[in-house]
Amino acid sequence: ITASSYLKETINGKVISYTPDFFIDKIFLQHTHDTFNIWHYDSYTAPWVEGVKGHGIGEWLDVEFKYKSDEIQILNGFVDFRRMNLYLDNSRVKRVLIESENPKFSKEYNLEDIVKYNVIQLPEKTDKIRITIKDVYPGRKWDDTCISSILITNPDLPPREKQLEENMT
């Protein structure tokens, strides 16, 4: 994952860089026979935070997948269950543009302003996308726009909604 920018700040003498690198180490996905569980490892919770003046409109993330998929999930905002105020204090993504070169597509998606994974169906399977911020929900305190996590759905599994339906019956 690469980003057009990221925020660097000093808190209590420690420099914190809010790069998208945290996405790779924070999520653990466990598959069992008929269900799956996601654990969020939060010994140090930090989202990607764009690093430009204002709300970061036009800033982007390039995401390469290990395998082709047509579904991603985005955990929007600064999600930290020990400091829950950070979700509303920082800006969250309202609308994104997702683009792929191979196959070529470009589509805008709206994200909900709640703490949950937003499931996004891509037009086709791809292994690399660019996610560009088009609009935001402004933060109460700061302009910094945050994304806490991005999951790439395993193409060998049914979509998450179908798995949930099957587990309920």
Side-chain angles (χ1 to χ4, degrees), residues 70-84:
D70 59 0
E71 182 181 278
I72 66 168
Q73 299 179 37
I74 297 176
L75 183 59
N76 197 14
F78 197 131
V79 178
D80 183 336
F81 295 107
R82 292 171 299 192
R83 301 174 292 163
M84 292 174 26

Side-chain angles (χ1 to χ4, degrees), residues 83-160:
R83 301 174 292 163
M84 292 174 26
N85 62 298
L86 294 176
Y87 182 81
L88 291 175
D89 287 349
N90 288 281
S91 297
R92 286 94 47 216
V93 177
K94 184 175 191 176
R95 192 173 71 246
V96 293
L97 172 67
I98 298 182
E99 300 169 285
S100 170
E101 290 299 318
N102 187 21
K104 191 155 186 71
F105 63 78
S106 178
K107 186 173 178 182
E108 288 192 14
Y109 298 88
N110 292 316
L111 303 182
E112 293 181 79
D113 193 19
I114 59 175
V115 177
K116 77 168 200 168
Y117 277 93
N118 287 263
V119 178
I120 296 175
Q121 297 295 322
L122 302 174
E124 296 183 60
K125 287 189 177 187
T126 184
D127 58 6
K128 184 176 180 182
I129 58 173
R130 172 167 283 184
I131 301 170
T132 304
I133 299 170
K134 300 301 279 181
D135 197 7
V136 301
Y137 300 102
R140 295 184 299 201
K141 274 180 127 172
W142 301 294
D143 290 341
D144 307 320
T145 300
C146 310
I147 295 176
S148 284
S149 179
I150 297 174
L151 297 178
I152 310 305
T153 304
N154 184 335
D156 297 331
L157 296 175
R160 185 171 191 280

Side-chain angles (χ1 to χ4, degrees), residues 50-80:
E50 51 76 24
V52 298
K53 190 170 179 69
H55 290 106
I57 304 298
E59 294 302 291
W60 49 262
L61 291 166
D62 281 345
V63 184
E64 289 189 50
F65 313 163
K66 290 181 182 176
Y67 42 76
K68 289 187 179 238
S69 183
D70 59 0
E71 182 181 278
I72 66 168
Q73 299 179 37
I74 297 176
L75 183 59
N76 197 14
F78 197 131
V79 178
D80 183 336

